[in-house]
Amino acid sequence: MLRIIKCALVAIIGLHALFYALQNVANLEAAHGSLVYVMSGADQAAYPETLFFKSDNPALAWLALAIVLIGEFATAFFGLKGGWQMLAARKNDVAEFHAAKRAAAIAAGFALLTWFGLFMTFGAAFFQMWQTPVGDGSMKGSFIYAMASVVTVLFVYHTPDD
């Protein structure tokens, strides 16, 4: 039963990322607009200055959105692949089941790169997106998504598979 739960949890990482990626695609203009808004530093009263740069360049925001989508789709792909590979190996010995977890770890890595690296490091720290309601919601959500993925994979990797 524990192996099946682990398979399902990894697949949920994939589904979670897939749903967000598809919602971003369905709302592409709004997602782009949010990035332009955050990257421009508009309405940032608490810390209006930066040592870095602000930009309202639409092309830079499209590039950022493309990177976000690549991260979300990669997380989705490896999460679903990992869940499937683990499910296929669920009746195998401990070593083979553990080896089937590789894609799950890659999914968690992409989740961290996307939601911690892009949203929390670049969005929140570099572009100070926490200062606006739109940015703050994205920042808080990204923390939840990244940590849920990592905690899941830690559980999957570090609880016994016997």
Side-chain angles (χ1 to χ4, degrees), residues 59-126:
L60 187 59
W62 281 118
L63 176 63
L65 182 55
I67 294 169
V68 167
L69 287 171
I70 288 167
E72 289 173 342
F73 278 118
T75 304
F77 174 79
F78 285 105
L80 293 170
K81 178 181 179 183
W84 181 256
Q85 288 176 333
M86 290 168 60
L87 185 65
R90 75 188 178 282
K91 294 181 180 178
N92 297 354
D93 65 35
V94 172
E96 289 173 354
F97 183 72
H98 187 73
K101 298 175 185 178
R102 182 170 173 77
I106 293 170
F110 273 113
L112 277 172
L113 287 170
T114 303
W115 292 306
F116 171 64
L118 297 177
F119 282 83
M120 293 190 310
T121 302
F122 284 96
F126 189 97

Side-chain angles (χ1 to χ4, degrees), residues 20-68:
Y20 274 106
L22 293 176
Q23 291 290 13
N24 280 332
V25 169
N27 295 282
L28 206 56
E29 289 296 328
H32 177 257
S34 293
L35 280 168
V36 169
Y37 176 71
V38 164
M39 294 169 71
S40 74
D43 303 324
Q44 293 182 348
Y47 281 56
E49 302 302 322
T50 183
L51 290 176
F52 307 110
F53 70 89
K54 297 176 184 180
S55 175
D56 60 359
N57 182 327
L60 187 59
W62 281 118
L63 176 63
L65 182 55
I67 294 169
V68 167

Side-chain angles (χ1 to χ4, degrees), residues 91 94 134 147 153:
K91 294 181 180 178
V94 172
V134 169
M147 293 309 111
V153 170

Side-chain angles (χ1 to χ4, degrees), residues 139-150:
M139 183 192 67
K140 287 177 181 173
S142 65
F143 176 79
I144 293 166
Y145 316 144
M147 293 309 111
S149 296
V150 170

